[in-house]
Amino acid sequence: MVSLLNIIFDGNSISCDYIPENSSDAGKVTVDAKTREVTNVEFSKYEHGKKMYVAHVRSKLSELLDLGQPIPKEATAIWF
């Protein structure tokens, strides 16, 4: 699980702070709204280079864009 906070969509990109489960160390991700590629990332210290959480954050931000609804300020990505 990863929490997405402070989600901001400016028309060209969508970004957020993210906090991996069982952590208080936040990171930040920016995704291009058209290509859905990560354009900027500041990894959470919790990840230790694994980059697993960034992939889930990218997927969740892409999903929020696809919904065609107002973008929420917070969201959660859960997987099994």
Side-chain angles (χ1 to χ4, degrees), residues 4-52:
L4 288 65
L5 309 169
N6 306 315
I7 301 171
I8 299 172
F9 176 58
D10 68 8
N12 296 314
S13 64
I14 186 168
S15 64
C16 71
D17 298 322
Y18 73 95
I19 301 175
E21 60 188 330
N22 303 319
S23 173
S24 60
D25 293 322
K28 185 171 181 83
V29 174
T30 302
V31 173
D32 184 284
K34 291 182 183 176
T35 66
R36 308 298 168 90
E37 293 182 24
V38 174
T39 59
N40 189 39
V41 63
E42 296 172 26
F43 290 101
S44 163
K45 292 178 185 177
Y46 180 78
E47 289 186 89
H48 306 291
K50 296 176 189 172
K51 304 178 186 175
M52 174 181 76

Short mmCIF file of all heavy atoms in Angstrom, two decimals, residues 4-52:
data_model
loop_
_atom_site.label_atom_id
_atom_site.label_comp_id
_atom_site.label_asym_id
_atom_site.label_seq_id
_atom_site.Cartn_x
_atom_site.Cartn_y
_atom_site.Cartn_z
N LEU A 4 -0.98 8.49 -1.47
CA LEU A 4 -0.67 9.63 -2.34
C LEU A 4 -1.29 10.86 -1.72
O LEU A 4 -2.50 10.89 -1.45
CB LEU A 4 -1.24 9.42 -3.75
CG LEU A 4 -0.57 8.38 -4.64
CD1 LEU A 4 -0.71 6.98 -4.10
CD2 LEU A 4 -1.14 8.47 -6.03
N LEU A 5 -0.48 11.88 -1.49
CA LEU A 5 -0.93 13.10 -0.83
C LEU A 5 -0.59 14.31 -1.69
O LEU A 5 0.34 14.26 -2.49
CB LEU A 5 -0.24 13.23 0.53
CG LEU A 5 -0.31 12.02 1.45
CD1 LEU A 5 0.62 12.19 2.63
CD2 LEU A 5 -1.73 11.81 1.93
N ASN A 6 -1.31 15.38 -1.48
CA ASN A 6 -1.04 16.64 -2.18
C ASN A 6 -1.02 16.46 -3.69
O ASN A 6 -0.13 16.97 -4.38
CB ASN A 6 0.29 17.25 -1.70
CG ASN A 6 0.34 17.40 -0.20
OD1 ASN A 6 -0.60 17.85 0.42
ND2 ASN A 6 1.45 16.99 0.39
N ILE A 7 -2.00 15.75 -4.22
CA ILE A 7 -2.07 15.50 -5.66
C ILE A 7 -2.42 16.81 -6.38
O ILE A 7 -3.38 17.49 -6.01
CB ILE A 7 -3.12 14.42 -5.99
CG1 ILE A 7 -2.78 13.11 -5.27
CG2 ILE A 7 -3.22 14.22 -7.50
CD1 ILE A 7 -3.86 12.05 -5.36
N ILE A 8 -1.63 17.13 -7.39
CA ILE A 8 -1.82 18.36 -8.16
C ILE A 8 -1.81 18.02 -9.65
O ILE A 8 -0.88 17.39 -10.14
CB ILE A 8 -0.71 19.39 -7.86
CG1 ILE A 8 -0.73 19.77 -6.38
CG2 ILE A 8 -0.87 20.62 -8.74
CD1 ILE A 8 0.44 20.62 -5.95
N PHE A 9 -2.85 18.46 -10.35
CA PHE A 9 -2.93 18.31 -11.80
C PHE A 9 -2.97 19.69 -12.42
O PHE A 9 -3.86 20.49 -12.12
CB PHE A 9 -4.18 17.51 -12.18
CG PHE A 9 -4.40 17.38 -13.65
CD1 PHE A 9 -3.44 16.80 -14.45
CD2 PHE A 9 -5.57 17.83 -14.23
CE1 PHE A 9 -3.64 16.68 -15.83
CE2 PHE A 9 -5.79 17.71 -15.59
CZ PHE A 9 -4.81 17.13 -16.39
N ASP A 10 -1.99 20.00 -13.28
CA ASP A 10 -1.93 21.34 -13.88
C ASP A 10 -2.31 21.36 -15.36
O ASP A 10 -2.09 22.35 -16.04
CB ASP A 10 -0.55 21.95 -13.68
CG ASP A 10 0.55 21.24 -14.45
OD1 ASP A 10 0.26 20.35 -15.28
OD2 ASP A 10 1.73 21.58 -14.23
N GLY A 11 -2.86 20.26 -15.85
CA GLY A 11 -3.23 20.17 -17.26
C GLY A 11 -2.19 19.45 -18.10
O GLY A 11 -2.53 18.78 -19.06
N ASN A 12 -0.93 19.60 -17.74
CA ASN A 12 0.16 18.94 -18.47
C ASN A 12 0.76 17.77 -17.71
O ASN A 12 1.25 16.82 -18.29
CB ASN A 12 1.28 19.94 -18.80
CG ASN A 12 0.81 21.03 -19.72
OD1 ASN A 12 0.15 20.76 -20.71
ND2 ASN A 12 1.12 22.26 -19.38
N SER A 13 0.76 17.89 -16.39
CA SER A 13 1.34 16.83 -15.56
C SER A 13 0.53 16.68 -14.28
O SER A 13 -0.24 17.57 -13.90
CB SER A 13 2.80 17.14 -15.23
OG SER A 13 2.90 18.31 -14.46
N ILE A 14 0.73 15.55 -13.65
CA ILE A 14 0.10 15.28 -12.37
C ILE A 14 1.21 14.85 -11.41
O ILE A 14 2.10 14.09 -11.79
CB ILE A 14 -1.01 14.21 -12.49
CG1 ILE A 14 -1.77 14.05 -11.18
CG2 ILE A 14 -0.47 12.90 -13.03
CD1 ILE A 14 -3.07 13.24 -11.30
N SER A 15 1.19 15.39 -10.21
CA SER A 15 2.25 15.09 -9.24
C SER A 15 1.66 14.87 -7.86
O SER A 15 0.52 15.25 -7.59
CB SER A 15 3.28 16.22 -9.21
OG SER A 15 2.67 17.41 -8.76
N CYS A 16 2.45 14.24 -7.01
CA CYS A 16 2.02 14.02 -5.64
C CYS A 16 3.21 13.67 -4.76
O CYS A 16 4.28 13.30 -5.24
CB CYS A 16 0.99 12.90 -5.57
SG CYS A 16 1.68 11.26 -5.86
N ASP A 17 3.00 13.81 -3.47
CA ASP A 17 3.90 13.24 -2.48
C ASP A 17 3.38 11.84 -2.22
O ASP A 17 2.18 11.59 -2.34
CB ASP A 17 3.85 14.05 -1.18
CG ASP A 17 4.31 15.49 -1.37
OD1 ASP A 17 5.25 15.71 -2.16
OD2 ASP A 17 3.72 16.38 -0.74
N TYR A 18 4.27 10.91 -1.90
CA TYR A 18 3.82 9.56 -1.59
C TYR A 18 4.55 9.03 -0.36
O TYR A 18 5.70 9.38 -0.10
CB TYR A 18 4.01 8.61 -2.78
CG TYR A 18 5.45 8.23 -3.05
CD1 TYR A 18 5.98 7.05 -2.54
CD2 TYR A 18 6.26 9.04 -3.81
CE1 TYR A 18 7.29 6.70 -2.79
CE2 TYR A 18 7.56 8.70 -4.07
CZ TYR A 18 8.08 7.53 -3.55
OH TYR A 18 9.39 7.19 -3.80
N ILE A 19 3.82 8.23 0.40
CA ILE A 19 4.39 7.62 1.61
C ILE A 19 4.14 6.12 1.54
O ILE A 19 2.99 5.67 1.56
CB ILE A 19 3.76 8.21 2.89
CG1 ILE A 19 4.00 9.72 2.94
CG2 ILE A 19 4.34 7.52 4.12
CD1 ILE A 19 3.34 10.41 4.11
N PRO A 20 5.21 5.32 1.43
CA PRO A 20 5.06 3.86 1.43
C PRO A 20 4.48 3.36 2.74
O PRO A 20 4.64 4.00 3.79
CB PRO A 20 6.48 3.35 1.24
CG PRO A 20 7.23 4.48 0.62
CD PRO A 20 6.60 5.71 1.21
N GLU A 21 3.85 2.19 2.68
CA GLU A 21 3.28 1.60 3.89
C GLU A 21 4.38 1.40 4.94
O GLU A 21 5.54 1.19 4.61
CB GLU A 21 2.63 0.26 3.55
CG GLU A 21 3.60 -0.75 2.97
CD GLU A 21 2.89 -2.00 2.47
OE1 GLU A 21 1.86 -2.36 3.02
OE2 GLU A 21 3.39 -2.59 1.51
N ASN A 22 3.99 1.48 6.18
CA ASN A 22 4.90 1.29 7.31
C ASN A 22 6.06 2.26 7.33
O ASN A 22 7.15 1.93 7.80
CB ASN A 22 5.42 -0.15 7.35
CG ASN A 22 4.32 -1.17 7.41
OD1 ASN A 22 3.33 -0.98 8.12
ND2 ASN A 22 4.46 -2.24 6.67
N SER A 23 5.87 3.44 6.78
CA SER A 23 6.95 4.42 6.71
C SER A 23 6.40 5.81 6.99
O SER A 23 5.21 6.06 6.87
CB SER A 23 7.57 4.40 5.31
OG SER A 23 8.51 5.45 5.17
N SER A 24 7.30 6.70 7.32
CA SER A 24 6.92 8.11 7.42
C SER A 24 7.78 8.95 6.48
O SER A 24 7.67 10.16 6.45
CB SER A 24 7.09 8.60 8.87
OG SER A 24 8.45 8.46 9.27
N ASP A 25 8.63 8.27 5.69
CA ASP A 25 9.50 8.94 4.73
C ASP A 25 8.78 9.15 3.40
O ASP A 25 8.46 8.18 2.71
CB ASP A 25 10.77 8.12 4.49
CG ASP A 25 11.66 8.05 5.72
OD1 ASP A 25 11.75 9.07 6.43
OD2 ASP A 25 12.25 6.99 5.95
N ALA A 26 8.55 10.40 3.04
CA ALA A 26 7.82 10.71 1.81
C ALA A 26 8.76 10.87 0.63
O ALA A 26 9.94 11.20 0.78
CB ALA A 26 7.02 11.99 1.99
N GLY A 27 8.21 10.61 -0.55
CA GLY A 27 8.88 10.87 -1.81
C GLY A 27 7.96 11.72 -2.65
O GLY A 27 6.87 12.09 -2.21
N LYS A 28 8.39 12.05 -3.86
CA LYS A 28 7.56 12.88 -4.74
C LYS A 28 7.69 12.35 -6.16
O LYS A 28 8.77 11.97 -6.60
CB LYS A 28 8.01 14.33 -4.68
CG LYS A 28 7.14 15.26 -5.48
CD LYS A 28 7.49 16.70 -5.20
CE LYS A 28 6.60 17.64 -5.97
NZ LYS A 28 5.33 17.88 -5.32
N VAL A 29 6.55 12.31 -6.88
CA VAL A 29 6.52 11.81 -8.25
C VAL A 29 5.74 12.79 -9.13
O VAL A 29 4.70 13.31 -8.72
CB VAL A 29 5.82 10.42 -8.31
CG1 VAL A 29 5.66 9.95 -9.75
CG2 VAL A 29 6.59 9.40 -7.51
N THR A 30 6.25 13.01 -10.34
CA THR A 30 5.54 13.78 -11.36
C THR A 30 5.42 12.91 -12.60
O THR A 30 6.39 12.28 -13.03
CB THR A 30 6.30 15.08 -11.70
OG1 THR A 30 6.47 15.85 -10.51
CG2 THR A 30 5.53 15.90 -12.73
N VAL A 31 4.20 12.88 -13.18
CA VAL A 31 3.91 12.06 -14.35
C VAL A 31 3.36 12.96 -15.45
O VAL A 31 2.49 13.81 -15.18
CB VAL A 31 2.89 10.95 -13.99
CG1 VAL A 31 2.43 10.21 -15.22
CG2 VAL A 31 3.48 10.01 -12.96
N ASP A 32 3.84 12.77 -16.68
CA ASP A 32 3.32 13.50 -17.83
C ASP A 32 1.88 13.04 -18.08
O ASP A 32 1.62 11.84 -18.18
CB ASP A 32 4.19 13.23 -19.05
CG ASP A 32 3.75 14.02 -20.26
OD1 ASP A 32 2.73 13.65 -20.87
OD2 ASP A 32 4.43 15.01 -20.58
N ALA A 33 0.95 13.95 -18.21
CA ALA A 33 -0.47 13.60 -18.35
C ALA A 33 -0.78 12.93 -19.69
O ALA A 33 -1.72 12.15 -19.77
CB ALA A 33 -1.33 14.84 -18.18
N LYS A 34 -0.01 13.20 -20.72
CA LYS A 34 -0.27 12.60 -22.04
C LYS A 34 0.42 11.26 -22.21
O LYS A 34 -0.21 10.29 -22.62
CB LYS A 34 0.17 13.56 -23.14
CG LYS A 34 -0.70 14.79 -23.23
CD LYS A 34 -0.27 15.69 -24.36
CE LYS A 34 -1.14 16.95 -24.34
NZ LYS A 34 -0.72 17.91 -25.35
N THR A 35 1.71 11.20 -21.91
CA THR A 35 2.47 9.97 -22.14
C THR A 35 2.40 9.00 -20.97
O THR A 35 2.72 7.83 -21.12
CB THR A 35 3.96 10.28 -22.40
OG1 THR A 35 4.54 10.84 -21.21
CG2 THR A 35 4.11 11.22 -23.59
N ARG A 36 2.04 9.52 -19.80
CA ARG A 36 1.95 8.74 -18.55
C ARG A 36 3.32 8.25 -18.08
O ARG A 36 3.42 7.33 -17.29
CB ARG A 36 0.98 7.57 -18.66
CG ARG A 36 -0.40 7.96 -19.17
CD ARG A 36 -1.09 8.95 -18.23
NE ARG A 36 -2.26 9.54 -18.80
CZ ARG A 36 -3.48 9.07 -18.72
NH1 ARG A 36 -3.71 7.97 -18.07
NH2 ARG A 36 -4.49 9.72 -19.27
N GLU A 37 4.38 8.88 -18.56
CA GLU A 37 5.72 8.54 -18.12
C GLU A 37 6.12 9.40 -16.93
O GLU A 37 5.72 10.56 -16.82
CB GLU A 37 6.72 8.76 -19.25
CG GLU A 37 6.53 7.80 -20.41
CD GLU A 37 7.56 8.01 -21.50
OE1 GLU A 37 8.65 8.53 -21.22
OE2 GLU A 37 7.25 7.63 -22.64
N VAL A 38 6.90 8.82 -16.04
CA VAL A 38 7.42 9.55 -14.89
C VAL A 38 8.45 10.55 -15.41
O VAL A 38 9.41 10.17 -16.10
CB VAL A 38 8.06 8.60 -13.86
CG1 VAL A 38 8.73 9.38 -12.75
CG2 VAL A 38 7.01 7.65 -13.29
N THR A 39 8.25 11.82 -15.10
CA THR A 39 9.17 12.86 -15.56
C THR A 39 10.09 13.36 -14.46
O THR A 39 11.13 13.94 -14.74
CB THR A 39 8.41 14.05 -16.16
OG1 THR A 39 7.52 14.58 -15.17
CG2 THR A 39 7.63 13.63 -17.40
N ASN A 40 9.70 13.13 -13.22
CA ASN A 40 10.54 13.54 -12.09
C ASN A 40 10.20 12.67 -10.89
O ASN A 40 9.03 12.36 -10.66
CB ASN A 40 10.32 15.02 -11.75
CG ASN A 40 11.33 15.53 -10.75
OD1 ASN A 40 12.50 15.18 -10.82
ND2 ASN A 40 10.87 16.34 -9.81
N VAL A 41 11.22 12.31 -10.14
CA VAL A 41 10.98 11.50 -8.94
C VAL A 41 12.04 11.82 -7.89
O VAL A 41 13.21 12.00 -8.21
CB VAL A 41 10.95 9.99 -9.27
CG1 VAL A 41 12.27 9.52 -9.81
CG2 VAL A 41 10.56 9.17 -8.07
N GLU A 42 11.58 11.93 -6.67
CA GLU A 42 12.43 12.01 -5.50
C GLU A 42 12.03 10.82 -4.65
O GLU A 42 10.95 10.82 -4.05
CB GLU A 42 12.20 13.32 -4.75
CG GLU A 42 12.57 14.56 -5.55
CD GLU A 42 12.13 15.84 -4.86
OE1 GLU A 42 12.00 15.85 -3.61
OE2 GLU A 42 11.90 16.82 -5.58
N PHE A 43 12.86 9.79 -4.64
CA PHE A 43 12.50 8.55 -3.96
C PHE A 43 12.43 8.70 -2.45
O PHE A 43 13.24 9.43 -1.85
CB PHE A 43 13.51 7.44 -4.29
CG PHE A 43 13.43 6.97 -5.70
CD1 PHE A 43 14.34 7.41 -6.65
CD2 PHE A 43 12.44 6.10 -6.09
CE1 PHE A 43 14.27 6.98 -7.96
CE2 PHE A 43 12.35 5.66 -7.40
CZ PHE A 43 13.27 6.10 -8.33
N SER A 44 11.49 8.00 -1.85
CA SER A 44 11.40 7.91 -0.41
C SER A 44 12.62 7.13 0.09
O SER A 44 13.04 6.15 -0.53
CB SER A 44 10.12 7.15 -0.01
OG SER A 44 10.19 6.72 1.31
N LYS A 45 13.19 7.54 1.18
CA LYS A 45 14.34 6.83 1.76
C LYS A 45 13.96 5.40 2.14
O LYS A 45 14.81 4.52 2.20
CB LYS A 45 14.87 7.58 2.97
CG LYS A 45 15.50 8.90 2.62
CD LYS A 45 15.97 9.63 3.84
CE LYS A 45 16.49 11.00 3.46
NZ LYS A 45 16.89 11.76 4.64
N TYR A 46 12.69 5.15 2.35
CA TYR A 46 12.21 3.83 2.74
C TYR A 46 12.43 2.79 1.64
O TYR A 46 12.60 1.62 1.91
CB TYR A 46 10.71 3.92 3.07
CG TYR A 46 10.07 2.62 3.49
CD1 TYR A 46 10.24 2.13 4.77
CD2 TYR A 46 9.29 1.90 2.60
CE1 TYR A 46 9.65 0.94 5.16
CE2 TYR A 46 8.69 0.71 2.98
CZ TYR A 46 8.88 0.24 4.27
OH TYR A 46 8.28 -0.94 4.66
N GLU A 47 12.45 3.24 0.39
CA GLU A 47 12.53 2.31 -0.73
C GLU A 47 13.89 1.66 -0.92
O GLU A 47 13.98 0.59 -1.51
CB GLU A 47 12.14 3.01 -2.03
CG GLU A 47 10.68 3.31 -2.08
CD GLU A 47 10.26 3.86 -3.40
OE1 GLU A 47 9.93 3.05 -4.28
OE2 GLU A 47 10.28 5.09 -3.55
N HIS A 48 14.94 2.31 -0.51
CA HIS A 48 16.30 1.75 -0.64
C HIS A 48 16.60 1.32 -2.06
O HIS A 48 17.18 0.26 -2.30
CB HIS A 48 16.50 0.57 0.31
CG HIS A 48 16.20 0.89 1.73
ND1 HIS A 48 16.98 1.74 2.48
CD2 HIS A 48 15.20 0.48 2.54
CE1 HIS A 48 16.47 1.83 3.70
NE2 HIS A 48 15.40 1.09 3.76
N GLY A 49 16.17 2.11 -3.06
CA GLY A 49 16.47 1.84 -4.45
C GLY A 49 15.60 0.81 -5.14
O GLY A 49 15.80 0.49 -6.29
N LYS A 50 14.60 0.28 -4.46
CA LYS A 50 13.74 -0.75 -5.05
C LYS A 50 12.80 -0.19 -6.11
O LYS A 50 12.45 -0.88 -7.04
CB LYS A 50 12.93 -1.46 -3.97
CG LYS A 50 13.79 -2.22 -2.99
CD LYS A 50 12.94 -2.82 -1.89
CE LYS A 50 13.80 -3.38 -0.79
NZ LYS A 50 13.04 -3.79 0.36
N LYS A 51 12.35 1.02 -5.95
CA LYS A 51 11.49 1.72 -6.90
C LYS A 51 10.12 1.07 -7.09
O LYS A 51 9.41 1.39 -8.02
CB LYS A 51 12.19 1.89 -8.24
CG LYS A 51 13.52 2.60 -8.11
CD LYS A 51 14.22 2.70 -9.43
CE LYS A 51 15.60 3.29 -9.21
NZ LYS A 51 16.39 3.33 -10.42
N MET A 52 9.77 0.14 -6.23
CA MET A 52 8.48 -0.54 -6.35
C MET A 52 7.31 0.42 -6.12
O MET A 52 6.32 0.38 -6.84
CB MET A 52 8.40 -1.67 -5.33
CG MET A 52 7.05 -2.36 -5.28
SD MET A 52 6.99 -3.65 -4.05
CE MET A 52 6.83 -2.71 -2.55
#
